[in-house]
Amino acid sequence: DADVTQTPRNRITKTGKRIMLECSQTKGHDRMYWYRQDPGLGLRLIYYSFDVKDINKGEISDGYSVSRQAQAKFSLSLESAIPNQTALYFCATRGLAGASNTGELFFGEGSRLTVL
Amino acid sequence: QQQVKQSPQSLIVQKGGISIINCAYENTAFDYFPWYQQFPGKGPALLIAIRPDVSEKKEGRFTISFNKSAKQFSLHIMDSQPGDSATYFCAARSGNFNKFYFGSGTKLNVKP
């Protein structure tokens, strides 16, 4: 089983609909992130969370909201989807850097969202 | 404004050749510079990383060269193989808030 699981993997929706993308992890990491990937723009940070009570905006948070329901779960919501939110979305986790931990990001396999 | 600038956008290399991808940054607070490799349908995965107190790091066929004064770093793939065909992202971490900033990505195609 994947350490970082995203659902759904693919979703097609219409403008104005509310969409939720879910992420769960079994790595025991405190830090969780949502990124958006667009061709030619790389990965851009939407929101990040360092623990259940800590939520922070990233570079492109407008139009998005998040919820950290538990240490292992971090969901991304689009309250009213618009076509320019069509993208590939990635959830990532990170542990504390230490002797046996590089502090790297571990990504899920992505959720492809199409807004018509 | 992109914090990390990456080039080229795409790269075609013959099998056995050297692939070189370049990145540049401005923020001197960045303290960790990883490279991620992404295959189609998969999430990015860490390939190799370097800290700014080191000028070069090598792991197998993959080498990062780091020039702190020029604020540039590059990935070299020696003896490139078709299995290396993927999209590569450079990144930089902001130590203060533990945020990662990614380059725009380079799609590498290694021809057999």
Side-chain angles (χ1 to χ4, degrees):
Chain A
D1 290 340
D3 293 324
V4 183
T5 303
Q6 293 184 230
T7 56
R9 294 292 312 280
N10 287 284
R11 181 73 182 267
I12 300 174
T13 190
K14 295 182 179 180
T15 297
K17 294 292 188 181
R18 184 178 187 273
I19 294 296
M20 179 181 287
L21 305 179
E22 298 184 326
C23 177
S24 62
Q25 53 113 347
T26 57
K27 300 193 74 67
H29 290 166
D30 290 331
R31 290 156 166 75
M32 297 188 74
Y33 303 76
W34 274 105
Y35 284 91
R36 167 178 172 160
Q37 183 177 356
D38 298 278
L41 295 177
L43 293 149
R44 293 180 292 167
L45 182 62
I46 306 173
Y47 271 95
Y48 61 105
S49 170
F50 286 174
D51 64 41
V52 175
K53 298 179 181 179
D54 177 79
I55 302 289
N56 303 280
K57 292 183 177 181
E59 305 167 72
I60 54 165
S61 59
D62 287 350
Y64 302 95
S65 62
V66 292
S67 173
R68 186 81 182 266
Q69 302 96 321
Q71 186 200 34
K73 296 183 182 295
F74 192 37
S75 59
L76 176 71
S77 294
L78 288 69
E79 296 300 325
S80 179
I82 55 177
N84 76 359
Q85 291 178 313
T86 293
L88 185 56
Y89 291 85
F90 285 100
C91 174
T93 73
R94 188 171 83 84
L96 287 174
S100 60
N101 181 357
T102 61
E104 70 187 87
L105 288 170
F106 290 88
F107 285 87
E109 296 200 323
S111 295
R112 184 169 294 280
L113 176 65
T114 302
V115 183
L116 301 177
Chain B
Q1 181 184 358
Q2 195 134 23
Q3 297 262 3
V4 180
K5 296 182 179 179
Q6 182 173 347
S7 63
Q9 189 171 359
S10 63
L11 184 60
I12 300 174
V13 174
Q14 290 296 126
K15 179 182 175 181
I18 302 174
S19 304
I20 302 174
I21 304 170
N22 300 299
C23 287
Y25 65 97
E26 287 297 326
N27 189 342
T28 56
F30 290 149
D31 65 351
Y32 176 71
F33 299 86
W35 284 88
Y36 282 80
Q37 180 187 54
Q38 183 184 29
F39 293 106
K42 300 294 184 182
L46 180 67
L47 180 64
I48 186 173
I50 197 168
R51 298 192 184 277
D53 55 346
V54 176
S55 62
E56 184 176 282
K57 184 172 183 181
K58 184 175 181 180
E59 291 184 359
R61 296 183 294 108
F62 301 90
T63 300
I64 301 177
S65 296
F66 189 85
N67 186 330
K68 189 174 182 179
S69 60
K71 290 185 273 188
Q72 295 175 346
F73 58 111
S74 59
L75 176 69
H76 296 237
I77 306 174
M78 311 300 287
D79 187 26
S80 298
Q81 300 296 313
D84 297 330
S85 297
T87 299
Y88 293 82
F89 294 98
C90 61
R93 185 181 70 188
S94 170
N96 287 342
F97 299 104
N98 283 240
K99 291 196 293 186
F100 288 78
Y101 297 91
F102 286 82
S104 54
T106 297
K107 188 171 184 179
L108 172 65
N109 185 6
V110 181
K111 297 283 193 182

